[in-house]
Amino acid sequence: MQNLIIKITQENENLLTASELKCFILEDSLSPDFIKKFCTLARTAGKLVLFSGEKAPELYRQKMGDGLIVDTTKEENPKKKIKEIQASCPKALLGVICRNRRHEAMLVSECEPDFIIFRFWKDGFAANAELLNWYNDLFLIQSAVQPEEKIDFTGLPADFVILSDTDYTIFVAK
């Protein structure tokens, strides 16, 4: 089974006690007080925290977390955006969401992020699974799947699966 990365969508730090969870994503839209508290608790528990959103680089530079997630799906020049982030946030763990196309996956991988994220929907699932297989055959950079709908991700050859905190709760209740 893949390793899970949990995207925190509610101000709740209860999942930090789950021993199987090692990495979390915090949206920059969460309250600053919650972000600070969560990061402190995560560091004490030996867990990783990544930030996402427009203010993610700023939060990382405040030394509260370990890295960030960059979404390049709307970028005309994804390499430029990634290089800017890498320059402003050296040593950050970096996950990059790219368009589900081979060309974009290659461009993003040339920047050597820590992992690349492919979004998955029911519609186009087979094509996305084929893309993920192709990517894993050619690249050493780790891959992650981020289901955008309820899909069966367990058979996908990704290193990580990104689930929201609510989807994780449903997943473990099965």
Side-chain angles (χ1 to χ4, degrees), residues 52-65:
S52 67
E54 290 294 317
K55 294 183 272 183
E58 179 184 326
L59 290 167
Y60 171 76
R61 287 190 296 270
Q62 292 174 18
K63 303 292 184 209
M64 288 198 291

Side-chain angles (χ1 to χ4, degrees), residues 49-51 55-68 85 88-93:
V49 175
L50 309 175
F51 300 111
K55 294 183 272 183
E58 179 184 326
L59 290 167
Y60 171 76
R61 287 190 296 270
Q62 292 174 18
K63 303 292 184 209
M64 288 198 291
D66 304 287
L68 38 122
I85 295 291
S88 71
C89 299
K91 300 183 182 177
L93 294 174

Side-chain angles (χ1 to χ4, degrees), residues 76-112:
E76 297 253 348
N77 187 344
K79 286 176 73 171
K80 180 181 177 194
K81 169 106 177 182
I82 295 166
K83 294 292 184 188
E84 289 170 356
I85 295 291
Q86 288 172 324
S88 71
C89 299
K91 300 183 182 177
L93 294 174
L94 183 61
V96 178
I97 303 169
C98 76
R99 292 183 192 125
N100 287 0
R101 298 184 186 135
R102 287 182 179 196
H103 182 70
E104 279 84 355
M106 288 188 293
L107 289 175
V108 167
S109 294
E110 287 176 358
C111 296
E112 298 182 357

Side-chain angles (χ1 to χ4, degrees), residues 6 29 55 57 66 71-72 77 84 89 104 114-115 121 126 151 159:
I6 305 302
S29 59
K55 294 183 272 183
D66 304 287
D71 185 347
T72 63
N77 187 344
E84 289 170 356
C89 299
E104 279 84 355
D114 293 289
F115 61 99
W121 293 267
I151 60 165
D159 299 292

Side-chain angles (χ1 to χ4, degrees), residues 16-166:
L16 282 168
T17 61
S19 61
E20 71 275 11
L21 301 177
K22 307 291 183 208
C23 186
F24 298 89
I25 299 171
L26 296 180
E27 288 284 334
D28 64 2
S29 59
L30 293 165
S31 79
D33 289 339
F34 174 76
I35 290 172
K36 187 174 186 175
K37 179 181 179 185
F38 192 95
C39 291
T40 300
L41 292 170
R43 183 171 289 120
T44 301
K47 312 240 176 169
L48 299 173
V49 175
L50 309 175
F51 300 111
S52 67
E54 290 294 317
K55 294 183 272 183
E58 179 184 326
L59 290 167
Y60 171 76
R61 287 190 296 270
Q62 292 174 18
K63 303 292 184 209
M64 288 198 291
D66 304 287
L68 38 122
I69 303 294
V70 176
D71 185 347
T72 63
T73 57
K74 295 178 182 164
E75 296 294 325
E76 297 253 348
N77 187 344
K79 286 176 73 171
K80 180 181 177 194
K81 169 106 177 182
I82 295 166
K83 294 292 184 188
E84 289 170 356
I85 295 291
Q86 288 172 324
S88 71
C89 299
K91 300 183 182 177
L93 294 174
L94 183 61
V96 178
I97 303 169
C98 76
R99 292 183 192 125
N100 287 0
R101 298 184 186 135
R102 287 182 179 196
H103 182 70
E104 279 84 355
M106 288 188 293
L107 289 175
V108 167
S109 294
E110 287 176 358
C111 296
E112 298 182 357
D114 293 289
F115 61 99
I116 187 169
I117 303 164
F118 298 99
R119 291 182 170 152
F120 269 70
W121 293 267
K122 289 177 188 173
D123 185 32
F125 181 89
N128 289 344
E130 181 182 321
L131 172 65
L132 182 61
N133 284 319
W134 167 84
Y135 181 83
N136 287 336
D137 285 346
L138 286 176
F139 294 92
L140 298 175
I141 296 169
Q142 294 182 317
S143 62
V145 168
Q146 183 172 325
E148 298 295 324
E149 300 176 322
K150 305 291 185 244
I151 60 165
D152 181 9
F153 56 80
T154 55
L156 294 171
D159 299 292
F160 307 103
V161 174
I162 299 172
L163 295 177
S164 72
D165 44 11
T166 53

